[in-house]
Amino acid sequence: MRDFLFGGLLAVALSSGVAASGSPVIAARATSTTVQAVTITGNAFYQGSDRFYIRGVDYQPGGGTGVESDPISNATACKRDIPYFTKLGINTIRVYAVDNTANHDECMDALAEAGIYLVLDTDTSKYSLNRLEPKESYNSVYLQSVFATIDAFANYTNTLAFLSGNEVINDVNTTDCAPYVKAVVRDMKQYIGSRGYRSIPVGYSAADVSQNQEILADYLNCGTDDQRSDFYAINDYSWCDPSSFTTSGWDTLVANYTGYGIPLFMSEFGCITNTRTFTEVAALYNSEMTGVFSGGLVYEYSEEGNGYGLVTISGDTVSPNSDFTYLSSAYAAATNPSGDGGASSTSAATTCPTESSEWDVSGDALPAIPSAAEKYMSTGAGTGPGLDGDGSQDAGTADNESTGTATAGSGTVTETASSSSTSGSKKSSGTTMAPVDMKAFGAFMVAIVSMIGGMALL
Ligand SMILES: *[C@@H]1O[C@H](CO)[C@@H](O)[C@H](O)[C@H]1NC(C)=O
Ligand SMILES: *[C@@H]1O[C@H](CO)[C@@H](O)[C@H](O)[C@H]1NC(C)=O
Ligand SMILES: *[C@@H]1O[C@H](CO)[C@@H](O)[C@H](O)[C@H]1NC(C)=O
Ligand SMILES: *[C@@H]1O[C@H](CO)[C@@H](O)[C@H](O)[C@H]1NC(C)=O
Ligand SMILES: *[C@@H]1O[C@H](CO)[C@@H](O)[C@H](O)[C@H]1NC(C)=O
């Protein structure tokens, strides 16, 4: 559901020499102590010994402009919005893209003071997996950007979690991306461990594709601990007011995910088919769901031209829309269950799914980390590319792409075979596409993407 950003091609055309990318602008800082770091036990998040439920909104003001920008590097804008976060009663925001060369101290500290955590997507439009070319786009240039983003946020105690990708798999035909999605999670976890950071949870945000969302959940939670995601997140718009736990199908959703061994939350929810009164909030924080779900985030804070905004922003002025008030009331009325809310204290791995007509993945082996990226584990990633530069999707070559597989369960980054079976089949016309959802744009956007892809070839 995140707004489509034209895969960076338009952004290149429109941006005007933004940041100088020479010297690192991130100064060393003391770790914020205003909030307690969130940890995972079993299938739930905890703040100390208390269960932690995500109550949030997705936050990417400017996301609808077509030019990607970092909403939390601008302290003025950030501080303009924090009082509204407080009015909403939230404890978490999700941000979809940041500039890993920018300084985020002021905004992150102000968020911490307000008791607000960050769930951060480590991809950007230019530095991301390309669902049409997963093998080529899984390269060291991409991973360097991801790792630099981890460096930029690892010191903040209120960094709750990293999302390795958003809706890379967005239909029935892109499940061959799954080994690459999982490899990125593995690499991020290894980087966090190798650099000696706090164990910041790493997971993935899945599109609502009924044919494969639950298979992907199993896939990301199978294998050895170093390969398993720390949590899974789903984007779900199936509760459209007026509705109920059973009418929406959320009862089946809960049943289907019962027993899932890692925390699960809604990284996007909030259907706009009718007036949003957010009656789903009462269900999400009720014990009928909390044994399986750990809350969620409403899409999205600011109006970006697609009707999902809770507020309209104009310069320094923020005007709440009517569903802002409904959401605020719904969060206020939804008290968490007492105790652990039915959470499981154990974290069972799943059995890896087998190849099928709905799951185009053979075997459990993952692509090995590109050897050119392996060195970052010991040296650190260095300065990231920010939101600019040539991007990573077409940067891959034999020098910096994965050239082999890592044996499932080995926990090693050593290459053991000479080629990956998943390459090539969907190689297309040079279209550069960000891993963002196109549900709201449908066939129209597909046509635009093809057109831009075609133009890029001229
Ligand atoms: C994080 O903290 C460590 C230890 O204080 C410091 O060396 C490092 O520079 C900090 N990193 C950032 C990005 O602030
Ligand atoms: C930061 O945000 C404020 C409020 O929207 C805006 O007026 C200002 O131009 C922004 N600054 C930069 C450097 O983008
Ligand atoms: C998936 O591929 C099949 C076979 O090539 C095709 O018929 C179908 O339209 C595709 N579906 C999507 C959603 O792209
Ligand atoms: C639950 O699982 C069943 C059986 O696999 C599937 O048909 C259904 O679509 C799932 N429902 C939801 C809401 O995930
Ligand atoms: C990856 O390959 C591209 C194309 O050869 C090259 O320009 C780039 O410098 C390489 N990057 C790394 C990190 O090796």
Side-chain angles (χ1 to χ4, degrees):
M1 193 59 59
R2 178 195 168 196
D3 299 283
F4 189 71
L5 290 162
F6 296 93
L9 286 162
L10 199 59
V12 173
L14 297 178
S15 71
S16 52
V18 192
S21 57
S23 56
V25 294
I26 300 164
R29 65 184 295 281
T31 298
S32 161
T33 52
T34 317
V35 294
Q36 190 173 7
V38 169
T39 57
I40 291 174
T41 300
N43 74 337
F45 296 107
Y46 290 87
Q47 214 176 21
S49 56
D50 294 334
R51 179 97 190 258
F52 180 83
Y53 298 94
I54 293 173
R55 287 174 180 250
V57 294
D58 296 317
Y59 182 68
Q60 195 78 28
T65 62
V67 178
E68 200 160 53
S69 63
D70 178 342
I72 53 173
S73 60
N74 182 337
T76 308
C78 170
K79 289 176 178 175
R80 171 198 64 201
D81 293 330
I82 288 175
Y84 294 90
F85 298 161
T86 303
K87 275 184 205 158
L88 281 171
I90 62 172
N91 61 19
T92 308
I93 57 170
R94 173 189 181 181
V95 171
Y96 290 87
V98 290
D99 175 351
N100 53 23
T101 65
N103 189 299
H104 300 89
D105 289 354
E106 204 173 339
C107 181
M108 287 301 286
D109 286 347
L111 287 168
E113 274 165 36
I116 294 171
Y117 292 82
L118 172 69
V119 172
L120 179 63
D121 287 74
T122 48
D123 280 354
T124 64
S125 289
K126 291 181 149 199
Y127 298 86
S128 49
L129 288 180
N130 179 342
R131 65 172 69 89
L132 299 179
E133 298 189 329
K135 180 180 190 299
E136 292 77 1
S137 56
Y138 175 63
N139 58 52
S140 62
V141 177
Y142 165 55
L143 290 174
Q144 196 269 340
S145 175
V146 170
F147 295 163
T149 300
I150 291 174
D151 289 340
F153 284 87
N155 279 0
Y156 303 120
T157 314
N158 55 331
T159 298
L160 196 168
F162 292 121
L163 289 167
S164 71
N166 180 55
E167 305 195 348
V168 177
I169 296 166
N170 72 342
D171 62 18
V172 296
N173 289 351
T174 41
T175 59
D176 66 336
C177 294
Y180 298 93
V181 167
K182 188 166 176 175
V184 176
V185 171
R186 172 203 61 195
D187 298 344
M188 290 173 65
K189 288 177 59 160
Q190 187 178 1
Y191 187 77
I192 289 168
S194 299
R195 303 310 299 154
Y197 294 139
R198 168 171 68 85
S199 297
I200 301 168
V202 180
Y204 171 80
S205 175
D208 190 1
V209 181
S210 60
Q211 293 87 347
N212 58 46
Q213 189 191 72
E214 288 163 23
I215 303 176
L216 179 60
D218 285 347
Y219 182 71
L220 291 179
N221 183 35
C222 76
T224 53
D225 286 351
D226 65 305
Q227 298 179 329
R228 290 170 62 199
S229 288
D230 295 317
F231 63 87
Y232 190 59
I234 64 172
N235 296 339
D236 185 298
Y237 293 87
S238 53
W239 183 307
C240 301
D241 286 324
S243 190
S244 71
F245 189 48
T246 49
T247 305
S248 64
W250 279 16
D251 57 342
T252 326
L253 190 66
V254 170
N256 286 2
Y257 279 109
T258 295
Y260 190 55
I262 51 178
L264 176 68
F265 64 90
M266 295 199 182
S267 36
E268 294 178 4
F269 72 91
C271 167
I272 56 167
T273 302
N274 301 311
T275 301
R276 297 199 286 191
T277 56
F278 291 109
T279 55
E280 67 263 56
V281 166
L284 193 53
Y285 301 92
N286 184 288
S287 56
E288 67 198 349
M289 292 189 73
T290 54
V292 176
F293 280 88
S294 292
L297 303 115
V298 168
Y299 186 87
E300 68 179 317
Y301 177 71
S302 56
E303 179 52 40
E304 299 295 331
N306 58 11
Y308 285 88
L310 298 167
V311 305
T312 301
I313 298 174
S314 175
D316 296 332
T317 309
V318 177
S319 309
N321 302 329
S322 65
D323 44 0
F324 178 99
T325 313
Y326 281 118
L327 181 61
S328 169
S329 303
Y331 274 142
T335 48
N336 296 332
S338 60
D340 67 9
S344 167
S345 60
T346 57
S347 179
T350 332
T351 304
C352 289
T354 51
E355 191 172 12
S356 71
S357 58
E358 292 179 338
W359 189 247
D360 184 18
V361 177
S362 68
D364 302 342
L366 299 179
I369 188 171
S371 54
E374 207 173 335
K375 65 174 185 288
Y376 299 130
M377 300 294 168
S378 52
T379 63
T383 306
L387 297 168
D388 299 319
D390 293 336
S392 63
Q393 295 186 0
D394 296 323
T397 65
D399 287 347
N400 52 33
E401 273 175 24
S402 176
T403 55
T405 53
T407 307
S410 68
T412 176
V413 295
T414 309
E415 296 171 15
T416 57
S418 60
S419 74
S420 162
S421 61
T422 49
S423 71
S425 61
K426 294 194 178 62
K427 181 140 179 134
S428 76
S429 55
T431 300
T432 304
M433 194 153 85
V436 296
D437 178 54
M438 307 201 331
K439 182 162 32 183
F441 297 87
F444 169 70
M445 289 309 296
V446 172
I448 298 282
V449 169
S450 307
M451 199 184 81
I452 293 174
M455 281 157 47
L457 290 173
L458 297 178

